[in-house]
Amino acid sequence: MSIVKMKRVALIGLDIDKQNLMDRLMDFGMLEITDQSSKMQDELWANSTTVEDERELTASIEGEINRAQAAFAVIEKYGGLKTPFFQTRRSMNAAAFDRIKGSESEALNKIDFILQLQEDINHANDSINIIEQDMYALASWEDYDIPLEVRETASVRFDLGMVPGETNLDELTARLEDEIGTVLVKSVLANKDFNHLAIASLKAKREELFAILKEYGFTHIVFGKKTGTVAENLKLLQEEREEELRGLKVLKKTIVNNASVKEIIEDYIDGKTIDLDKEKIKEKLLSTQKTFFIEGWVPVRWVDRLTTILEATGCYYQIRDPEEEEQVPVLLKNSRFFTPIEAVTEMYSLPDYHGFDPTSIYALFYICFFGMMFSDAGYGLLLAGGCFAVLKKFNLEGNMYRMVKMFMYCGISTIFWGAMFGGFFGDLISSFSGLFLSHEIVVPALWFNPLDDPMKLLIFSLVLGVVHLFIGMGINAYMEIRDGKPMDALFNEGAWYVTLPGLAMLLGSGTLGIPILSVVGKWMSIAGVAMLIVGGARGKKGIGRLTGAFSNVYSITSWMSDILSYARLLALGLATGVIAQVVNVMGSLFGGGIGGMILFILIFTVGTVINFAINVLGSFIHSARLQYVEFFGKFYRDGGDPFRPFKKNTKYVRVEEEKR
């Protein structure tokens, strides 16, 4: 339950030791190197140092990575390999990875080979497209049986073309015969769009012919250097297309047979990514002719390890505590159980370095709220069991691992609250047994059924919300005392700790039938309001005292709003149960027997999937909302920048680090 303390590191080393130090710092993986280019605005730094320009080299490495990724994409497209739902990295020790990195020739040969296959595939596809276009153009003229190279005789010209489908062919033919004389017009193919015409006319009348045809929207068709009949050309093109398709199939089969090189390319990409990161990080350094300068952040617990590295490489270094105005990166450190809930914190925003990490405090509330909202033991079994199976089957890492494990915790909580409220896929057991077993089996709730007594769950939800909010206030009071402001804690949080319980006792004494609560509640309320007035007026002058005091007291209304927000625990919990029962009722409408059972199972399955999807999402969002708006609103100081150490950021291979 803490934000890891950081130290500021500044070091100077000899240029000849730079590459060795960069390698060792990357293996160390716990130093965030900060950009020093802003120092160049200082005349002293600008006159004595320079910022390394590695753009040409990084561009070259990025080009190599892009070629490898292009080859990787070819294998993924044609290789026939199944893409896993959860992408995991292969484990490899550092020595083995370094050996692979040291021999890149095999990977480069494989990349060139795969990319050449892709180029051949593209060429084959282009050829097929051209052939198919030619076939499409010729298909409409298949009934034209004069060889295409025969375009004229000594006195006659043969022309092919199209007119719009609505053209009156008889009218066109009659006009041509009247104005030109000897002409033969034959329709080769007619459809609603075009009429394909073959026209034979005297050469001497060709200009007059085309002048008339133009009036009818005639489009002249020429097939270039093609010879033979259309049917012969179509047959030849079909043979060429089949030949290209056979060649294309061979190319794709070759990729399938070489799909195993995927891992070699993955190793190459990760190796080049490491090289790229090493070069890019140099742009954050300052250099002279013979030295270089680095600044960064290191967690306190790794300072000794870092100093060992720096002394071994002969660097001069200085390590100090961060100054108040410095923007310190944030690294959260929680116990193994609470670490998965850090994903919820990070979705909102990391806390400020000088703030407070509440993960291990609100984690139990988050899991509890989720379970109360989902509130069905059957759905909880699906969620927890599914997440457990994923964790066992896949070697997940990072945020994906944390999210899956968090949902497993939430599934367990859902099982618990489902048992407490008596929900197992709604009332599945009683509905199924009553319909198909002729004897209704009722599984009672361990506590109570919210559908029978919703007010009980509402009161419990609001009480749980008050506890949640009071803990948030307590964290803020702790932070104020820690920062040397104990009176702020007394007149802010302390006042509310007196006022709100006092009002609760005052209002609830009649219902509970305990008169003494009314007296105690009244005096606590008076004392609390007085503290709020004093707290609102503190540090202000004139009219500001009055407005501050009034504002503090008026904020009771916002407290009521915050507390009522926890009624969503009731609303979503009832929604899950009601929808589940409606699904069971719909399944029961078709009666007993085999047919009824089949329909019951079908409707139950579809309804359960829909209800599960909707309510697991709703529980996730609204549980987070109660943390972000109500709980965090009492104390949270956000805006922290995540700690980003200089390390091996690989995508496909997890390089096993030596034990620290």
Coordinates of all heavy atoms in Angstrom, one line a residue, residues 4 40 55 70 108 137 143 242 252 254 264 272 305 330 336 356 361 396 418 504 515 567 586 602 622 625 630 660:
V4 N 6.1 3.9 -4.4 CA 7.5 3.6 -4.2 C 8.3 4.9 -4.2 O 8.2 5.8 -5.0 CB 8.0 2.7 -5.3 CG1 9.5 2.5 -5.2 CG2 7.3 1.4 -5.3
M40 N 19.4 22.7 -22.8 CA 20.1 23.4 -23.9 C 19.6 24.9 -24.0 O 20.2 25.7 -24.7 CB 19.9 22.7 -25.2 CG 20.4 21.3 -25.3 SD 22.2 21.3 -24.8 CE 22.9 22.0 -26.2
R55 N 19.0 10.3 -35.5 CA 17.8 10.1 -36.4 C 18.1 9.2 -37.6 O 17.3 8.4 -38.0 CB 17.3 11.5 -36.8 CG 16.5 12.2 -35.8 CD 16.0 13.6 -36.2 NE 17.2 14.5 -36.5 CZ 17.1 15.7 -36.9 NH1 15.9 16.2 -37.1 NH2 18.2 16.5 -37.0
A70 N 6.7 -6.7 -42.1 CA 6.0 -7.0 -43.3 C 6.1 -8.5 -43.6 O 5.1 -9.1 -44.0 CB 6.6 -6.2 -44.5
L108 N 17.6 -12.5 -41.6 CA 17.5 -11.6 -42.8 C 17.2 -12.4 -44.1 O 16.5 -12.0 -44.9 CB 18.8 -10.9 -42.9 CG 19.1 -9.8 -41.9 CD1 20.5 -9.2 -42.0 CD2 18.1 -8.7 -42.0
A137 N -14.3 -8.3 -70.5 CA -14.5 -7.5 -71.7 C -14.9 -8.4 -72.9 O -15.7 -7.9 -73.8 CB -13.2 -6.7 -72.0
D143 N -20.4 -14.6 -79.0 CA -21.2 -15.1 -80.2 C -20.7 -14.4 -81.5 O -21.1 -14.8 -82.6 CB -22.7 -14.8 -80.0 CG -23.3 -15.6 -79.0 OD1 -22.7 -16.7 -78.6 OD2 -24.4 -15.2 -78.4
E242 N -6.0 -20.3 -65.1 CA -5.8 -21.5 -64.3 C -4.3 -21.7 -64.0 O -4.0 -22.2 -62.9 CB -6.4 -22.7 -65.0 CG -7.9 -22.6 -65.0 CD -8.5 -23.7 -65.9 OE1 -7.7 -24.5 -66.4 OE2 -9.8 -23.8 -65.9
K252 N 1.6 -19.8 -52.1 CA 1.0 -19.8 -50.7 C 1.4 -21.0 -50.0 O 1.6 -21.0 -48.7 CB -0.5 -19.6 -50.9 CG -0.9 -18.3 -51.4 CD -2.5 -18.2 -51.5 CE -2.9 -16.8 -52.0 NZ -4.4 -16.7 -52.1
T254 N 4.1 -22.6 -50.3 CA 5.5 -22.4 -49.8 C 5.6 -21.6 -48.5 O 6.4 -21.9 -47.6 CB 6.3 -21.7 -50.9 OG1 6.2 -22.5 -52.1 CG2 7.8 -21.6 -50.5
I264 N 11.7 -17.1 -35.7 CA 13.0 -16.5 -36.1 C 12.8 -15.0 -36.3 O 13.6 -14.1 -35.9 CB 13.6 -17.2 -37.3 CG1 13.9 -18.6 -37.0 CG2 14.9 -16.4 -37.7 CD1 14.4 -19.4 -38.1
K272 N 15.9 -6.1 -32.8 CA 16.1 -4.8 -33.4 C 15.4 -3.7 -32.6 O 15.8 -2.5 -32.6 CB 15.5 -4.8 -34.8 CG 16.5 -5.5 -35.8 CD 17.8 -4.7 -35.9 CE 18.8 -5.4 -36.8 NZ 20.1 -4.7 -36.8
R305 N 22.1 -1.4 -6.1 CA 22.4 -2.1 -7.3 C 22.9 -1.2 -8.4 O 23.9 -1.5 -9.2 CB 21.2 -2.9 -7.8 CG 21.3 -3.6 -9.1 CD 22.2 -4.8 -9.1 NE 22.3 -5.4 -10.4 CZ 21.4 -6.2 -10.9 NH1 20.3 -6.5 -10.2 NH2 21.5 -6.7 -12.1
V330 N 5.8 7.8 -10.9 CA 5.0 7.1 -9.9 C 5.1 5.6 -10.2 O 4.8 5.1 -11.3 CB 3.6 7.5 -9.8 CG1 2.8 6.6 -8.8 CG2 3.5 9.0 -9.3
R336 N 0.8 -9.0 -3.3 CA 0.5 -9.8 -4.5 C -1.0 -9.9 -4.7 O -1.5 -9.9 -5.8 CB 1.1 -11.2 -4.3 CG 0.9 -12.1 -5.5 CD 1.7 -13.4 -5.3 NE 1.5 -14.3 -6.5 CZ 2.1 -15.5 -6.6 NH1 2.8 -16.0 -5.5 NH2 1.9 -16.2 -7.6
F356 N -1.4 9.6 -2.2 CA -1.7 8.4 -1.5 C -2.2 7.3 -2.4 O -3.1 7.6 -3.2 CB -2.7 8.7 -0.3 CG -2.9 7.5 0.6 CD1 -2.1 7.3 1.7 CD2 -3.9 6.6 0.3 CE1 -2.3 6.2 2.5 CE2 -4.2 5.5 1.2 CZ -3.3 5.4 2.3
I361 N -6.8 -0.5 0.0 CA -7.9 -0.1 0.8 C -9.2 -0.3 0.1 O -10.1 -1.0 0.6 CB -7.8 1.3 1.4 CG1 -6.5 1.4 2.3 CG2 -9.0 1.7 2.1 CD1 -6.3 2.8 2.8
L396 N -0.1 -15.1 -19.0 CA -0.4 -13.7 -19.2 C 0.6 -12.8 -18.4 O 1.2 -13.3 -17.4 CB -1.8 -13.4 -18.8 CG -2.9 -14.2 -19.5 CD1 -4.3 -13.8 -18.9 CD2 -2.9 -14.0 -21.0
G418 N -24.1 -14.3 -4.3 CA -25.2 -15.0 -4.9 C -25.8 -16.1 -3.9 O -27.0 -16.3 -3.8
A504 N -27.7 10.8 11.8 CA -28.3 9.5 11.6 C -29.0 9.0 12.9 O -30.1 8.4 12.9 CB -27.2 8.5 11.2
P515 N -34.9 6.2 22.8 CA -34.9 7.6 23.0 C -33.6 8.3 23.2 O -33.4 9.4 22.8 CB -35.8 7.8 24.2 CG -36.6 6.5 24.2 CD -35.7 5.5 23.7
A567 N -27.2 3.4 -3.8 CA -28.4 2.6 -4.1 C -28.2 1.8 -5.4 O -29.0 0.9 -5.6 CB -29.6 3.6 -4.2
M586 N -39.5 -17.6 -19.5 CA -39.6 -17.8 -20.9 C -39.3 -19.2 -21.4 O -40.0 -19.7 -22.2 CB -38.7 -16.8 -21.7 CG -39.1 -15.3 -21.5 SD -37.9 -14.2 -22.2 CE -38.0 -14.7 -23.9
L602 N -32.2 -24.0 -24.8 CA -31.8 -23.0 -25.8 C -32.1 -21.6 -25.3 O -31.2 -20.7 -25.4 CB -32.6 -23.3 -27.1 CG -32.4 -22.3 -28.3 CD1 -30.9 -22.4 -28.7 CD2 -33.3 -22.6 -29.4
H622 N -20.0 0.3 -12.8 CA -20.5 1.0 -11.7 C -19.7 0.8 -10.4 O -19.7 1.7 -9.5 CB -22.0 0.6 -11.5 CG -22.9 1.2 -12.5 ND1 -23.3 2.5 -12.4 CD2 -23.4 0.7 -13.6 CE1 -24.1 2.7 -13.5 NE2 -24.2 1.7 -14.2
R625 N -17.1 3.3 -10.8 CA -17.7 4.6 -10.6 C -17.8 5.0 -9.2 O -17.5 6.2 -8.8 CB -19.1 4.7 -11.3 CG -19.6 6.1 -11.4 CD -20.7 6.3 -10.4 NE -21.3 7.7 -10.6 CZ -21.7 8.4 -9.6 NH1 -21.7 8.0 -8.4 NH2 -22.3 9.6 -9.8
E630 N -17.2 8.8 -5.8 CA -17.5 9.0 -4.4 C -16.2 8.8 -3.5 O -15.9 9.7 -2.7 CB -18.5 7.9 -3.9 CG -20.0 8.4 -4.1 CD -20.4 8.5 -5.6 OE1 -20.0 7.6 -6.4 OE2 -21.0 9.5 -5.9
R660 N 17.2 -10.4 -8.9 CA 17.7 -9.2 -8.3 C 17.8 -9.4 -6.8 O 16.8 -9.8 -6.2 CB 16.9 -8.0 -8.7 CG 16.9 -7.8 -10.2 CD 15.9 -6.7 -10.5 NE 16.0 -6.4 -11.9 CZ 15.1 -5.7 -12.6 NH1 14.0 -5.4 -12.0 NH2 15.3 -5.4 -13.9

